[in-house]
Amino acid sequence: MRTLLRGGRVIDPATGFDGTADVLVSGGVVTAVGEALTAEPGDVEIDVSGLVVGPGFIDLHSHVHTIAGQRLQAMDGVTTALDLEAGLMPIERAYAEAAAAGRPLHYGFSASWGAARAQVLAGIEPDANIDSGLSVLGNPAWQRTSSPKELAAWLSLVDGELAAGALGVGVLLGYAPDTDPGEFLALARLAKEAGAPTYTHVRELVEVNPETPIDGSAEIAIVAAETGAAMHHCHVNSTSGHQIERVLGALEAGRAAGSRVTVEAYPYGAGSTGIGAAFLSPERLKMKGLSPSSVIMLESGERIADEGRLLQVRAEDPGAPCILEFLDESSPHDLGLLRQALAFPDAIVASDALPVYWKNGTSESTEWPLPPGGATHPRTAGTYAKTLRLMVRESKAWTWLEAFRRCSYLPARVLDEVAPGALAKGRLNVGADADIVVIDPHTITDAATYFDSTRPSVGVRHLFVSGVPVVTDGNLRTDAFPGKPLRGEPR
């Protein structure tokens, strides 16, 4: 069956095209783009006049791993959702379980640096599960520096995961911030040899912790320059906070000197992780200029009252998801810092989406709309629509062409070297994968809030994944599971 999108404003960030055209899709591929294309009997014609048509968004940083979470992301314009910052291990199990359950969106995973270290340093067997991974984050046994023998052992595990199809290496360095910088250098050398990117949650900044072994954002540029590895700096907004201007300046200087560093950001002033994370200890919060009351438990909505309560919940359930407020979005100054991160040249939009958690302990549902009572970070449902609202609709800082470059084209290019399957993504010309989003430019907006976090975004009128409709006329198709794995191809 062929689908003809008729008369939309077509955006192709690969060629710079921005104009009125028809788009013809057949067999999961874009087969024609032009004016007044001829329909054949049996074609499905959709009038998209007045709407913006572009390549679906590619999220390099999504931890949802569920149908429920991917459906929220579909309503936000995402067609490919990848967990690259943390990754999963064993990689073969991660891909097999996603395929068995079915996915509305394309999916993929990096090799997990944290899981490999936890297996070698703490004897914790990985099970390719995000919740198990969260529970390990606060365990000090894996956070120490490795012996030479241990370093060789977990590097070998990572190398094996790359050979099995991982999309690079996810490095949660901020969760083990006191490790020897030589380990990160050794990992980058391995990644360079494998032709695979790294995706790093950097260690703390020197302003936050003057005793850090090395400033987090300086480290990634230095290591990229020394090894030639392609290194991706995850959520620069949340790891930099009020130091964003200094960090972006340092990253720009490193890139100008030849470091292969890419940068991502999301449009929220609060992050989310497991309560046991090293940087959420009372001492680390003070270093950031924050307090226990900056932490909100995700499932219960409890705002942590004091240091004693923070220590209690960290000890009782270190994997419990929480929200950490690092910028005040009601402050014009802080909102300006947030927009500055998004506006940084070639910064990629990525969500850091989390699973939806219900009070009965589940994080999956095939019901739609989602059952009431689910909680997540609003970035799961609203990252891309909020970015478009802030950067295109309200501030006009980006054109639509630039928006699709940041949300679709540039993230695909991060993957080209490790995954040739990404070459046909992030573009809307003949031969491109038929991963397409159709947006109402006048109504696109986020609807999720911190305490009503599963409200789907508004304004995504149609979404196609491999040419299969997942959203039609603004409504999710509950029978659509066209997602396919995107895998690395080892050299």
Side-chain angles (χ1 to χ4, degrees):
M1 183 181 71
R2 306 193 325 167
T3 300
L4 182 59
L5 303 177
R6 182 75 80 183
R9 178 180 175 181
V10 173
I11 309 289
D12 178 19
T15 62
F17 179 80
D18 178 355
T20 302
D22 302 339
V23 177
L24 182 63
V25 170
S26 179
V29 176
V30 176
T31 55
V33 178
E35 296 184 20
L37 296 181
T38 302
E40 296 180 356
D43 286 353
V44 175
E45 288 195 63
I46 303 174
D47 181 4
V48 293
S49 56
L51 304 177
V52 174
V53 182
F57 305 144
I58 298 172
D59 190 356
L60 299 179
H61 193 159
S62 172
H63 305 297
V64 294
H65 306 317
T66 60
I67 294 168
Q70 282 207 351
R71 283 174 168 172
L72 285 177
Q73 290 209 276
M75 295 296 291
D76 201 35
V78 176
T79 52
T80 301
L82 309 172
D83 188 337
L84 303 182
E85 179 227 27
L88 291 178
M89 181 179 176
I91 201 77
E92 291 285 14
R93 178 172 173 179
Y95 277 107
E97 290 183 353
R103 291 289 182 260
L105 311 180
H106 301 313
Y107 54 91
F109 314 98
S110 68
S112 176
W113 169 89
R117 292 183 94 257
Q119 180 173 328
V120 172
L121 275 65
I124 300 172
E125 288 294 323
D127 63 358
N129 183 282
I130 179 67
D131 294 317
S132 300
L134 285 172
S135 68
V136 170
L137 291 180
N139 186 335
W142 76 275
Q143 297 171 2
R144 62 180 173 84
T145 293
S146 310
S147 70
K149 183 177 180 181
E150 289 168 335
L151 175 62
W154 64 253
L155 283 174
S156 178
L157 289 177
V158 169
D159 196 36
E161 295 286 270
L162 290 173
L167 292 167
V169 188
V171 190
L172 294 177
L173 191 54
Y175 293 83
D178 296 323
T179 53
D180 185 339
E183 293 193 22
F184 189 46
L185 185 64
L187 178 73
R189 289 187 176 125
L190 183 153
K192 168 61 177 174
E193 185 175 343
T198 65
Y199 313 91
T200 304
H201 179 138
V202 300
R203 72 175 92 220
E204 289 166 323
L205 304 180
V206 68
E207 293 93 342
V208 172
N209 180 13
E211 297 181 0
T212 184
I214 182 172
D215 180 85
S217 289
E219 180 179 29
I220 194 170
I222 292 168
V223 171
E226 185 163 337
T227 64
M231 309 195 79
H232 185 71
H233 189 312
C234 295
H235 46 40
V236 71
N237 54 306
S238 65
T239 52
S240 303
H242 286 94
Q243 308 303 326
I244 190 68
E245 292 186 66
R246 196 274 294 172
V247 168
L248 293 178
L251 292 172
E252 182 57 35
R255 296 201 305 193
S259 296
R260 297 176 64 195
V261 177
T262 51
V263 174
E264 71 175 48
Y266 60 76
Y268 293 90
S272 188
T273 188
I275 189 67
F279 55 82
L280 294 184
S281 70
E283 298 78 17
R284 302 280 188 177
L285 286 176
K286 288 176 185 175
M287 290 176 180
K288 294 176 182 289
L290 303 175
S291 68
S293 64
S294 302
V295 180
I296 303 165
M297 301 309 295
L298 192 61
E299 294 178 76
S300 66
E302 175 192 0
R303 184 179 289 274
I304 300 298
D306 52 35
E307 185 173 313
R309 177 58 177 157
L310 178 61
L311 292 171
Q312 180 184 5
V313 295
R314 281 169 60 83
E316 290 177 349
D317 189 3
C322 66
I323 288 173
L324 173 66
E325 297 175 333
F326 57 86
L327 290 176
D328 180 0
E329 292 182 56
S330 66
S331 159
H333 175 265
D334 282 13
L335 186 58
L337 294 178
L338 195 57
R339 288 181 173 174
Q340 189 173 352
L342 290 165
F344 183 62
D346 293 342
I348 289 165
V349 179
S351 74
D352 199 358
L354 283 178
V356 180
Y357 295 97
W358 282 270
K359 291 184 178 180
N360 64 4
T362 65
S363 58
E364 178 63 293
S365 174
T366 57
E367 294 181 39
W368 188 263
L370 294 179
T376 185
H377 191 293
R379 65 194 181 200
T380 302
T383 288
Y384 291 89
K386 183 175 183 179
T387 299
L388 296 176
R389 173 173 64 80
L390 289 174
M391 303 303 286
V392 181
R393 284 186 55 201
E394 294 179 356
S395 69
K396 296 181 172 54
W398 293 348
T399 62
W400 280 104
L401 185 62
E402 181 67 5
F404 278 99
R405 201 174 73 87
R406 306 289 194 117
C407 297
S408 307
Y409 183 75
L410 290 178
R413 306 292 71 81
V414 170
L415 300 162
D416 284 342
E417 186 176 1
V418 69
L423 290 166
K425 297 188 183 297
R427 56 183 74 241
L428 196 58
N429 51 5
V430 173
D433 287 350
D435 302 331
I436 300 171
V437 62
V438 181
I439 293 169
D440 185 333
H442 305 294
T443 64
I444 186 70
T445 191
D446 52 312
T449 66
Y450 289 106
F451 297 105
D452 192 0
S453 54
T454 62
R455 295 173 63 188
S457 292
V458 175
V460 171
R461 300 301 303 158
H462 302 276
L463 189 84
F464 299 87
V465 176
S466 291
V468 176
V470 174
V471 176
T472 299
D473 292 325
N475 297 306
L476 185 94
R477 302 279 293 264
T478 58
D479 60 343
F481 296 93
K484 299 176 183 177
L486 182 63
R487 302 189 66 143
E489 295 185 17
R491 285 182 174 178

